């Protein structure tokens, strides 16, 4: 937990996001808290009910674990698409969440698995559903005195789970768009990235699928996506490309 509520105290985990902007941001008066030696944040625990990723769990930790890969295949799939091995061995799942990028590759998989974020401060511990963690572009519910200490993913039987990332190339490319889809006893969860100010659930489409609706065309899927996404044009893609490709991926994969 962060003893100081001072907003200038910045936790640093793998540093793979923070160091990219190191030379561009005015860090005058900013203090950094190195988490990397806090062993209690490091381990992950897989039980019959839950996977708990300590805040220092890296992508590589997941890739290397046959048990986690078997229990949560989308985590391993997303992890393999993050940067290259150097980034996978340093970058953390908690850092991916905390950084708040709408293009974060780890977040859709965790969100589709119904993850919660454990936040701890001197005042105590709270657990926030990941799909309620973001409030705007790079805005989150985390208070400056709270540290993410863990991410919890419930272990449930699933009959559908897949993840697609579309980028300029497979490795070392920020997503133009992507989507993780899971169906478990609680219903469908569809989490998309790079199509809104933050990684978002496509709840209208989920509700339609939960109600047993089928879709006649990608345009039909797009109509059900529109209430929840708001893609933009940027250096990586256009809003039109993003919504067209997302609706096509979903249409063809859901039809399988
Ligand atoms: C070359 C390169 C390629 C990359 N490729 C990808 C990619 O393909 N896909 C992708 O999604 N990302 C990519 N990234 C971004 C980055 O690697 C990931 O977002 C990574 O998960 C960040 O984790 P970190 O531990 O390095 O975070 P850090 O850089 O240490 O921190 C990131 C942010 O999270 C905060 N933070 C970290 N831990 C905590 C905590 N426990 N509690 C509260 N706040 C915390 C920090 O204060 C900071 O604001 C890439 C980065 C680089 C440099």
């Amino acid at each position: 937990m962060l003893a100081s509520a001072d907003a200038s105290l910045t936790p640093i985990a793998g540093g793979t996001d923070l160091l990219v902007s190191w030379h561009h941001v005015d860090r005058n008066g900013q203090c950094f808290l190195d988490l990397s030696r806090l062993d209690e944040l490091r381990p992950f625990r897989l039980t019959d009910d839950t996977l708990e990723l300590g805040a220092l769990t890296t992508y590589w930790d997941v890739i290397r674990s046959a048990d986690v890969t078997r229990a949560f295949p989308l985590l391993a799939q997303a992890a393999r698409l993050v940067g290259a091995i150097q980034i996978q061995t340093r970058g953390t799942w908690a850092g991916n969440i905390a950084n708040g990028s709408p293009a974060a590759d780890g977040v859709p998989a965790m969100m589709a698995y119904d993850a919660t974020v454990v936040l701890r401060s001197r005042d105590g511990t709270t657990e926030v559903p990941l799909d309620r963690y973001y409030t705007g572009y790079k805005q989150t519910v985390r208070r400056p005195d709270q540290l993410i200490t863990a991410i919890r993913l419930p272990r449930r039987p699933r009959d559908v789970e897949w993840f697609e990332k579309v980028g300029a190339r497979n490795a070392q490319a920020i997503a133009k768009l992507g989507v993780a889809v899971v169906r478990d006893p609680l219903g469908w969860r569809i989490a998309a990235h790079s199509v809104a100010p933050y990684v978002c659930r496509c709840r209208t489409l989920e509700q339609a699928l939960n109600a047993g609706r089928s879709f006649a065309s990608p345009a039909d899927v797009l109509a059900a996506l529109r209430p929840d996404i708001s893609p933009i044009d940027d250096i990586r893609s256009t809003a039109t490309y993003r919504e067209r490709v997302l609706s096509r991926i979903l249409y063809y994969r859901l039809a399988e």
Side-chain angles (χ1 to χ4, degrees), residues 10-11 13-18 59 81-83 87 92 96 98 105 148 165:
T10 305
T16 60
D17 271 317
L18 278 174
Y59 301 105
L81 296 174
V82 172
I87 298 298
T92 62
N96 201 233
D105 286 320
I148 298 175
K165 169 180 174 177

Side-chain angles (χ1 to χ4, degrees), residues 2 9-20 30 32-33 35 41 54-59 78-84 86-88 90-101 103-108 117-119 133 138 142-144 146-150 165 170-175 193:
L2 304 181
L9 188 59
T10 305
I12 178 163
T16 60
D17 271 317
L18 278 174
L19 291 175
V20 170
Q30 205 173 355
F32 293 91
L33 181 71
L35 305 178
L41 298 182
L56 287 175
T57 308
T58 64
Y59 301 105
R80 287 193 198 95
L81 296 174
V82 172
Q86 295 89 332
I87 298 298
Q88 292 164 7
R90 286 202 65 88
T92 62
W93 297 89
N96 201 233
I97 291 175
N99 189 50
S101 165
D105 286 320
V107 177
V117 182
V118 182
L119 294 169
Y133 185 78
K138 297 236 170 195
R142 185 178 76 85
R143 298 192 316 261
Q146 288 176 314
L147 196 63
I148 298 175
T149 53
K165 169 180 174 177
N170 279 339
Q172 299 278 34
I174 298 175
H193 63 330

Side-chain angles (χ1 to χ4, degrees), residues 19-237:
L19 291 175
V20 170
S21 56
W22 201 256
H23 297 294
H24 314 295
V25 176
D26 178 14
R27 303 210 175 272
N28 236 343
Q30 205 173 355
C31 286
F32 293 91
L33 181 71
D34 178 12
L35 305 178
S36 65
R37 293 194 189 164
L38 296 177
D39 282 341
E40 53 270 56
L41 298 182
R42 189 166 301 283
F44 63 80
R45 267 188 327 120
L46 183 65
T47 66
D48 288 346
D49 306 322
T50 317
L51 170 64
E52 183 168 304
L53 301 170
L56 287 175
T57 308
T58 64
Y59 301 105
W60 196 245
D61 292 329
V62 165
I63 291 168
R64 270 194 331 181
S65 165
D67 289 341
V68 175
T69 299
R70 209 173 304 114
F72 291 91
L74 303 189
L75 293 188
Q77 192 187 339
R80 287 193 198 95
L81 296 174
V82 172
I85 289 175
Q86 295 89 332
I87 298 298
Q88 292 164 7
T89 53
R90 286 202 65 88
T92 62
W93 297 89
N96 201 233
I97 291 175
N99 189 50
S101 165
D105 286 320
V107 177
M110 289 187 277
M111 201 181 276
Y113 281 137
D114 214 11
T116 55
V117 182
V118 182
L119 294 169
R120 199 158 151 201
S121 74
R122 277 191 161 169
D123 295 337
T125 302
T126 54
E127 209 165 323
V128 183
L130 179 54
D131 59 15
R132 307 233 178 270
Y133 185 78
Y134 300 108
T135 55
Y137 176 68
K138 297 236 170 195
Q139 302 297 311
T140 77
V141 299
R142 185 178 76 85
R143 298 192 316 261
D145 67 329
Q146 288 176 314
L147 196 63
I148 298 175
T149 53
I151 304 145
R152 290 202 181 114
L153 296 91
R155 229 173 146 176
R156 302 183 192 125
R158 305 166 212 114
D159 59 355
V160 178
E161 58 189 315
W162 52 265
F163 174 61
E164 293 268 1
K165 169 180 174 177
V166 178
R169 52 185 181 174
N170 279 339
Q172 299 278 34
I174 298 175
K176 291 173 188 278
L177 65 114
V179 62
V181 176
V182 164
R183 183 171 65 180
D184 66 20
L186 299 192
W188 290 88
R189 270 182 309 283
I190 301 176
H193 63 330
S194 286
V195 290
Y198 46 89
V199 180
C200 65
R201 291 268 299 268
C202 303
R203 292 184 190 274
T204 311
L205 179 58
E206 290 174 5
Q207 281 158 13
L209 291 166
N210 286 333
R213 193 180 143 194
S214 52
F215 291 86
S217 65
D220 211 15
V221 173
L222 182 54
L225 285 171
R226 282 234 165 92
D228 299 301
I229 64 170
S230 47
I232 56 167
D233 296 346
D234 65 17
I235 51 164
R236 282 187 294 281
S237 194

